[in-house]
Amino acid sequence: MNTPSHAILNLVVFNQQVRNQASHAIFIGAILPDVPIFLFYFLMKFVYRLPSREIWSEAYYQPVWQGIISTFHSIPLALIGLIITHFLNWKVIEVGFSSMVLHSLLDLPVHNNDAHRHFFPFTNYRFISPISYWDRNHYGGIIAFIEISLVLVASIYLFPTMRSPFTKGLLIATNLFYWYAYLRFYLKDAIP
């Protein structure tokens, strides 16, 4: 799934009371698994100046980067963090780890050739899903439509609960961007 989708969908999963007390933890937990990917891309594109094709077909699959990405997408490691924080009564951090687990559970069924090792470090197994959230060869157009539709419904639900104009603006901007990008990427003839 796309990173902003994780943030919006994760916010919907938690009830209003938890959102009021720990919305930052939900948000951080929702995006944290993807942060190493963003750092990796920035480094490869702007420091090493690699072309996009080489970044995603070669550099991304280097063992060091795969280890870092797998660590952040690891369901068992996030569950261990969740259990520890629960027993230490660190409620906000516990919510953050719960959000990380949810991120990985939402990623699990929508990654094909780019599947993460969600059970790292206990196994290197990758669940290779028959569907992908982006790859046209694996129903990417359909899955992307489902994803952005869910994000739209979640955003409509969340909008009245958002307290600041900034967060309301982010919800609107994310949805506008998603629909525009969907039309550009999957329905190329629809937008000039």
Side-chain angles (χ1 to χ4, degrees):
M1 290 183 74
N2 291 293
T3 307
S5 300
H6 285 291
I8 293 168
L9 295 176
N10 283 16
L11 282 167
V12 167
V13 169
F14 292 91
N15 67 39
Q16 183 64 43
Q17 181 182 356
V18 174
R19 283 197 305 269
N20 287 342
Q21 295 171 350
S23 62
H24 289 86
I26 296 168
F27 178 79
I28 291 168
I31 66 166
L32 190 59
D34 287 343
V35 167
I37 298 170
F38 289 114
L39 294 174
F40 156 80
Y41 181 77
F42 179 83
L43 187 65
M44 295 301 130
K45 187 72 175 176
F46 299 107
V47 175
Y48 292 108
R49 302 197 183 277
L50 296 178
S52 290
R53 179 177 296 284
E54 187 177 338
I55 291 171
W56 298 116
S57 66
E58 295 174 31
Y60 180 76
Y61 294 101
Q62 293 297 315
V64 170
W65 285 107
Q66 284 298 298
I68 295 168
I69 293 165
S70 296
T71 299
F72 278 76
H73 280 88
S74 173
I75 295 170
L77 292 178
L79 285 172
I80 290 168
L82 191 149
I83 291 165
I84 291 169
T85 55
H86 176 77
F87 283 111
L88 293 173
N89 204 29
W90 295 347
K91 296 293 184 196
V92 173
I93 300 172
E94 180 183 350
V95 169
F97 278 113
S98 297
S99 191
M100 287 181 74
V101 170
L102 184 56
H103 174 114
S104 292
L105 290 174
L106 289 171
D107 263 359
L108 195 61
V110 294
H111 281 264
N112 181 271
N113 63 346
D114 58 347
H116 302 299
R117 292 182 289 174
H118 287 290
F119 305 101
F120 181 82
F122 302 105
T123 178
N124 287 321
Y125 173 77
R126 296 174 195 265
F127 173 69
I128 308 298
S129 176
I131 61 175
S132 169
Y133 76 101
W134 65 271
D135 187 348
R136 286 187 176 121
N137 296 323
H138 299 284
Y139 310 100
I142 296 167
I143 302 306
F145 182 80
I146 292 169
E147 177 184 340
I148 64 175
S149 296
L150 286 172
V151 168
L152 178 62
V153 170
S155 297
I156 292 167
Y157 173 79
L158 286 173
F159 193 82
T161 70
M162 294 292 157
R163 290 180 258 174
S164 79
F166 177 73
T167 55
K168 288 182 177 189
L170 276 177
L171 278 178
I172 293 169
T174 299
N175 280 277
L176 290 174
F177 174 77
Y178 271 5
W179 285 99
Y180 176 78
Y182 181 82
L183 293 173
R184 289 285 292 178
F185 189 70
Y186 293 104
L187 306 172
K188 289 182 181 184
D189 299 331
I191 293 182

